[in-house]
Amino acid sequence: MAPLKFCANISWLFTELPDFSRRMSAAAQAGFQAVEAAWLYDTEPPELRRAARAAGVEVVLINTPPGDVEAGDLGLGAVPGRESEFRQGLEMAVKYANSLDLVEVLSSCLCSISRIHLMAGRVPVGADRTAVAKEMEAVFVQNLSYAADVLSKEGIIGLIEPINTRITDPRYFLDSPHQAAGILEKVGKPNIKLQMDIFHWQIMDGNLTQNIHKYFPMIGHIQIAQVPGRNEPDSAGELNYSYLFNTLENLNYQGYIGCEYKPQGRCAFYLTVEPS
């Protein structure tokens, strides 16, 4: 049974450093061999490639562009009328993924970005969630099917992530593992999988043991944080991560687990959470 592998989310960790290049170096110094990030698009691909090579870290996950953040966008995958923009964002994400093919860094493994989170987006302002749900789901399924074909040519896994609507984002369209699983079944593409952020799953549904077992065959990536504060997994809170890590080990989970939380401790504390 292989030990669990952790990667640093450098959109959340090492934010005292102003740029992603320096955060990659800090992650490596803290003991991480891989990083993930939400949006790296303010930094040019050659600079990111040089930084990752210098740090010796694998970049394992990025998100598709959010859209117009100032206008309230947080992804476009399920937003009606924005299909063309979603495809443009997907093209950009693939460009960044391919530019970070770091096989020269760690010759024992393929170190390009292997996963892209295809963000669903928000229910339009003023719209009733129930009234627009069917249309938004149809758009999402169509966009995911398109993305699956694009990503399959690049050897990349697409991911969809439920984000809780009770605390984090009341308007986010995709908010539960059950909803996500239903959409994945309609898409029916093996390279589109479920991103399990345990923080969001606990807030929306709880019942983590049963949900992990039920949806494990669909899971393509995992992220962690304590509930409710979204701090380190071993900080005070609702979740027993020793138990959850043991559960994932027993299921032989072999992917990375993203550390996506607001750290309370120093950088050296980021890697103190280990499976027992």
Side-chain angles (χ1 to χ4, degrees), residues 9-266:
N9 188 304
I10 55 174
S11 296
W12 286 75
L13 305 186
F14 310 105
T15 55
E16 67 276 10
L17 301 174
D19 58 76
F20 286 119
S21 298
R22 293 173 64 184
R23 293 179 197 177
M24 287 182 185
S25 178
Q29 292 173 17
F32 289 101
Q33 296 181 349
V35 300
E36 63 179 29
W39 304 296
L40 297 167
Y41 304 110
D42 288 338
T43 306
E44 290 299 316
E47 181 180 343
L48 292 172
R49 180 182 173 88
R50 286 192 296 270
R53 180 186 288 119
V57 295
E58 185 177 356
V59 184
V60 297
L61 170 73
I62 58 173
N63 295 354
T64 49
D68 187 344
V69 175
E70 292 185 0
D73 290 339
L74 191 66
L76 301 172
V79 182
R82 309 288 294 277
E83 292 87 347
S84 177
E85 293 170 78
F86 171 80
R87 293 186 179 193
Q88 292 171 10
L90 176 65
E91 181 180 353
M92 179 180 291
V94 170
K95 173 186 175 182
Y96 269 71
N98 287 336
S99 74
L100 282 164
D101 184 346
L102 301 173
V103 71
E104 299 172 18
V105 177
L106 299 171
S107 59
S108 62
C109 65
L110 180 62
C111 298
S112 60
I113 293 172
S114 58
R115 282 159 173 73
I116 295 176
H117 171 203
L118 308 165
M119 299 197 73
R122 290 170 166 155
V123 173
V125 175
D128 177 76
R129 177 182 291 271
T130 303
V132 300
K134 187 175 181 179
E135 180 185 12
M136 292 190 71
E137 180 179 285
V139 169
F140 202 22
V141 169
Q142 180 182 12
N143 280 334
L144 292 174
S145 297
Y146 173 84
D149 293 338
V150 171
L151 297 178
S152 66
K153 298 173 185 177
E154 309 293 339
I156 296 172
I157 298 294
L159 300 165
I160 63 173
E161 178 192 10
I163 294 176
N164 83 81
T165 50
R166 290 179 173 158
I167 297 175
T168 301
D169 195 327
R171 288 176 39 226
Y172 202 76
F173 170 69
L174 187 68
D175 68 354
S176 81
H178 316 298
Q179 180 192 13
I183 288 171
L184 289 176
E185 289 174 358
K186 291 182 178 181
V187 174
K189 301 285 188 176
N191 66 326
I192 304 295
K193 294 184 175 294
L194 181 58
Q195 181 168 315
M196 178 179 72
D197 188 319
I198 293 177
F199 172 79
H200 295 305
W201 284 32
Q202 167 67 6
I203 291 170
M204 289 304 296
D205 196 65
N207 196 29
L208 287 174
T209 301
Q210 294 301 316
N211 284 337
I212 290 171
H213 280 271
K214 181 177 181 179
Y215 297 121
F216 188 76
M218 297 182 176
I219 292 173
H221 190 68
I222 295 173
Q223 293 175 326
I224 56 173
Q226 186 55 271
V227 177
R230 208 169 189 177
N231 303 121
E232 290 93 336
D234 62 349
S235 61
E238 298 176 12
L239 298 177
N240 180 349
Y241 268 99
S242 292
Y243 170 80
L244 293 172
F245 290 153
N246 283 335
T247 299
L248 293 171
E249 282 191 322
N250 290 335
L251 288 169
N252 197 29
Y253 176 71
Q254 297 183 7
Y256 274 101
I257 297 175
C259 297
E260 187 184 73
Y261 51 77
K262 297 177 288 187
Q264 295 174 314
R266 298 176 303 168

